[in-house]
Amino acid sequence: MTGFRVGQGFDVHRLVEDRKLILCGVEIPYELGLLGHSDADVAIHALIDALLGALALGDIGELFPDNDSQWKGADSTRLLEMVLALPEFADWHISNADITIIAQKPKLAPYKKQMQQKLAEVMKTAPDQVSVKATTTEKLGFTGRGEGIAASAVVALIK
């Protein structure tokens, strides 16, 4: 195993009524929230897949299957902590994590710093090792129509 690994992840969830909108562990005020078995934090789910991918450990659905009642309503920050506590991560450190959230609405710029801080806290890294970006699809596709939110993440791990 080499001393440098990169992983990437992607996730998407549908926007629905009567759910909280949680992104990067931060509750965002909005009339819709993301539908999922857990809290449906699409950004953390993409980040978890990136981390797992970096060490070839499978994907989030293998560790936290949506047909397992113990993960119903789970806080995704807790899932992220559990992944980072896996023995395979013991000798690895996060060099940096870069997350892009794709959403037409709500506007996420006012929350990016808070999301960055929250992820850094959960991952036990410095805030400058975590990048949170937000973009739209110029009203194209399911994100552009406000039907859902997508996220992609890239991480670099070092030994």
Side-chain angles (χ1 to χ4, degrees):
M1 193 177 282
T2 63
F4 180 76
R5 291 288 187 104
V6 175
Q8 72 88 33
F10 178 83
D11 197 28
V12 62
H13 284 276
R14 177 182 305 277
L15 282 163
V16 297
E17 294 180 352
D18 300 320
R19 292 275 299 198
K20 291 180 180 180
L21 178 57
I22 310 289
L23 295 170
C24 299
V26 174
E27 187 173 339
I28 309 296
Y30 191 54
E31 64 264 16
L32 301 174
L34 293 170
L35 180 63
H37 187 65
S38 67
D39 64 7
D41 187 330
V42 69
I44 288 183
H45 294 183
L47 178 59
I48 288 172
D49 269 350
L51 286 161
L52 293 171
L55 296 184
L57 297 175
D59 61 53
I60 190 171
E62 293 173 52
L63 285 181
F64 309 110
D66 63 5
N67 60 0
D68 188 334
S69 62
Q70 72 177 313
W71 309 122
K72 179 106 175 108
D75 178 340
S76 293
T77 59
R78 179 69 184 118
L79 302 181
L80 177 56
E81 289 171 340
M82 292 171 70
V83 166
L84 291 170
L86 291 171
E88 292 85 350
F89 282 93
D91 296 328
W92 293 92
H93 304 281
I94 296 168
S95 173
N96 71 299
D98 185 17
I99 298 104
T100 303
I101 302 168
I102 304 122
Q104 196 67 41
K105 289 182 181 179
K107 293 296 181 195
L108 299 174
Y111 307 99
K112 290 191 310 185
K113 192 60 121 177
Q114 187 181 357
M115 290 189 279
Q116 176 192 28
Q117 290 286 105
K118 180 67 173 184
L119 288 178
E121 175 189 315
V122 173
M123 295 190 299
K124 297 178 175 47
T125 64
D128 68 356
Q129 291 173 273
V130 181
S131 171
V132 176
K133 302 182 305 291
T135 190
T136 70
T137 55
E138 301 298 326
K139 300 185 180 177
L140 297 172
F142 72 90
T143 57
R145 291 187 301 270
E147 297 170 9
I149 294 177
S152 66
V154 177
V155 297
L157 302 178
I158 53 174
K159 237 182 201 185

Short mmCIF file of all heavy atoms in Angstrom, two decimals, residues 7 20-21 43 52 58-59 70 78 88 95 106 111-112 114 123 127 131 141 145 156:
data_model
loop_
_atom_site.label_atom_id
_atom_site.label_comp_id
_atom_site.label_asym_id
_atom_site.label_seq_id
_atom_site.Cartn_x
_atom_site.Cartn_y
_atom_site.Cartn_z
N GLY A 7 -9.62 9.34 -3.32
CA GLY A 7 -10.92 8.72 -3.53
C GLY A 7 -11.92 9.77 -3.96
O GLY A 7 -11.77 10.95 -3.64
N LYS A 20 -36.08 17.82 7.12
CA LYS A 20 -35.08 18.86 7.32
C LYS A 20 -34.03 18.76 6.21
O LYS A 20 -33.74 17.67 5.72
CB LYS A 20 -34.39 18.67 8.67
CG LYS A 20 -35.28 18.95 9.85
CD LYS A 20 -34.52 18.75 11.14
CE LYS A 20 -35.44 19.02 12.33
NZ LYS A 20 -34.74 18.83 13.60
N LEU A 21 -33.47 19.91 5.85
CA LEU A 21 -32.38 19.93 4.89
C LEU A 21 -31.07 20.01 5.67
O LEU A 21 -30.77 21.03 6.30
CB LEU A 21 -32.51 21.12 3.93
CG LEU A 21 -31.39 21.26 2.89
CD1 LEU A 21 -31.24 20.01 2.04
CD2 LEU A 21 -31.63 22.49 2.02
N ALA A 43 -24.03 15.53 0.96
CA ALA A 43 -22.62 15.93 0.93
C ALA A 43 -21.76 14.98 1.75
O ALA A 43 -20.69 14.55 1.30
CB ALA A 43 -22.47 17.37 1.43
N LEU A 52 -14.05 5.90 1.61
CA LEU A 52 -14.04 4.45 1.43
C LEU A 52 -13.34 4.06 0.13
O LEU A 52 -12.56 3.10 0.08
CB LEU A 52 -15.46 3.90 1.46
CG LEU A 52 -16.19 4.01 2.80
CD1 LEU A 52 -17.65 3.63 2.65
CD2 LEU A 52 -15.51 3.15 3.86
N GLY A 58 -15.13 -0.34 -0.40
CA GLY A 58 -16.53 -0.46 -0.80
C GLY A 58 -17.22 0.89 -0.81
O GLY A 58 -16.61 1.92 -1.08
N ASP A 59 -18.52 0.88 -0.46
CA ASP A 59 -19.28 2.13 -0.49
C ASP A 59 -20.21 2.22 0.71
O ASP A 59 -20.36 1.27 1.47
CB ASP A 59 -20.05 2.27 -1.81
CG ASP A 59 -21.06 1.17 -2.03
OD1 ASP A 59 -21.91 0.93 -1.14
OD2 ASP A 59 -21.04 0.54 -3.10
N GLN A 70 -31.38 0.02 11.94
CA GLN A 70 -30.52 0.76 12.86
C GLN A 70 -30.00 2.07 12.27
O GLN A 70 -29.58 2.96 13.00
CB GLN A 70 -29.35 -0.10 13.36
CG GLN A 70 -28.28 -0.37 12.34
CD GLN A 70 -27.12 -1.14 12.91
OE1 GLN A 70 -26.62 -0.81 13.99
NE2 GLN A 70 -26.71 -2.19 12.22
N ARG A 78 -22.35 11.21 12.36
CA ARG A 78 -21.99 10.01 13.15
C ARG A 78 -21.50 8.90 12.22
O ARG A 78 -20.55 8.19 12.55
CB ARG A 78 -23.20 9.56 13.97
CG ARG A 78 -22.95 8.34 14.78
CD ARG A 78 -21.97 8.60 15.94
NE ARG A 78 -21.71 7.35 16.62
CZ ARG A 78 -20.50 6.78 16.71
NH1 ARG A 78 -19.44 7.36 16.21
NH2 ARG A 78 -20.35 5.64 17.33
N GLU A 88 -8.84 0.31 9.26
CA GLU A 88 -8.09 0.57 8.02
C GLU A 88 -7.62 2.02 7.91
O GLU A 88 -6.69 2.32 7.17
CB GLU A 88 -8.94 0.22 6.79
CG GLU A 88 -9.23 -1.26 6.62
CD GLU A 88 -10.45 -1.75 7.40
OE1 GLU A 88 -11.00 -1.01 8.24
OE2 GLU A 88 -10.85 -2.91 7.17
N SER A 95 -5.36 14.55 3.97
CA SER A 95 -4.58 15.69 3.47
C SER A 95 -5.54 16.82 3.16
O SER A 95 -5.35 17.95 3.60
CB SER A 95 -3.79 15.28 2.23
OG SER A 95 -3.17 16.41 1.66
N PRO A 106 -31.74 25.75 -2.05
CA PRO A 106 -31.56 27.14 -1.65
C PRO A 106 -30.14 27.62 -1.95
O PRO A 106 -29.26 26.81 -2.23
CB PRO A 106 -31.80 27.10 -0.14
CG PRO A 106 -31.32 25.74 0.26
CD PRO A 106 -31.68 24.84 -0.90
N TYR A 111 -23.87 29.56 4.09
CA TYR A 111 -23.65 28.45 5.01
C TYR A 111 -22.34 27.70 4.76
O TYR A 111 -21.99 26.80 5.52
CB TYR A 111 -24.83 27.46 4.91
CG TYR A 111 -26.15 28.14 5.09
CD1 TYR A 111 -26.93 28.49 3.98
CD2 TYR A 111 -26.61 28.50 6.35
CE1 TYR A 111 -28.14 29.16 4.15
CE2 TYR A 111 -27.81 29.16 6.52
CZ TYR A 111 -28.57 29.49 5.42
OH TYR A 111 -29.75 30.15 5.58
N LYS A 112 -21.63 28.06 3.70
CA LYS A 112 -20.43 27.29 3.33
C LYS A 112 -19.37 27.28 4.43
O LYS A 112 -18.78 26.24 4.70
CB LYS A 112 -19.84 27.81 2.02
CG LYS A 112 -20.69 27.49 0.82
CD LYS A 112 -20.00 27.75 -0.51
CE LYS A 112 -19.37 29.10 -0.59
NZ LYS A 112 -18.80 29.38 -1.92
N GLN A 114 -19.76 27.63 7.67
CA GLN A 114 -20.26 26.79 8.76
C GLN A 114 -20.14 25.30 8.41
O GLN A 114 -19.77 24.48 9.25
CB GLN A 114 -21.71 27.16 9.08
CG GLN A 114 -22.28 26.48 10.29
CD GLN A 114 -23.74 26.87 10.56
OE1 GLN A 114 -24.32 27.69 9.87
NE2 GLN A 114 -24.33 26.24 11.55
N MET A 123 -14.05 15.54 11.17
CA MET A 123 -12.91 14.79 10.63
C MET A 123 -11.61 15.03 11.40
O MET A 123 -10.59 14.45 11.08
CB MET A 123 -12.71 15.14 9.15
CG MET A 123 -13.87 14.70 8.29
SD MET A 123 -13.55 14.83 6.52
CE MET A 123 -13.27 16.58 6.32
N PRO A 127 -9.65 23.52 9.31
CA PRO A 127 -10.63 23.98 8.31
C PRO A 127 -10.02 24.20 6.92
O PRO A 127 -10.71 23.98 5.93
CB PRO A 127 -11.14 25.30 8.91
CG PRO A 127 -10.97 25.13 10.38
CD PRO A 127 -9.70 24.34 10.54
N SER A 131 -12.70 21.88 1.79
CA SER A 131 -13.31 22.85 0.89
C SER A 131 -14.76 22.45 0.64
O SER A 131 -15.04 21.29 0.34
CB SER A 131 -12.55 22.88 -0.44
OG SER A 131 -13.23 23.66 -1.38
N GLY A 141 -31.74 19.99 -15.75
CA GLY A 141 -31.79 18.71 -15.07
C GLY A 141 -32.57 18.73 -13.78
O GLY A 141 -33.22 19.71 -13.43
N ARG A 145 -34.30 21.88 -11.75
CA ARG A 145 -35.75 21.98 -11.54
C ARG A 145 -36.12 21.95 -10.06
O ARG A 145 -37.29 22.02 -9.70
CB ARG A 145 -36.46 20.83 -12.26
CG ARG A 145 -36.40 20.93 -13.79
CD ARG A 145 -37.26 19.86 -14.46
NE ARG A 145 -36.86 18.50 -14.12
CZ ARG A 145 -35.96 17.76 -14.78
NH1 ARG A 145 -35.35 18.27 -15.86
NH2 ARG A 145 -35.67 16.54 -14.40
N ALA A 156 -7.93 13.27 -0.44
CA ALA A 156 -6.56 12.76 -0.53
C ALA A 156 -6.14 12.32 0.87
O ALA A 156 -6.31 13.08 1.84
CB ALA A 156 -5.62 13.83 -1.06
#
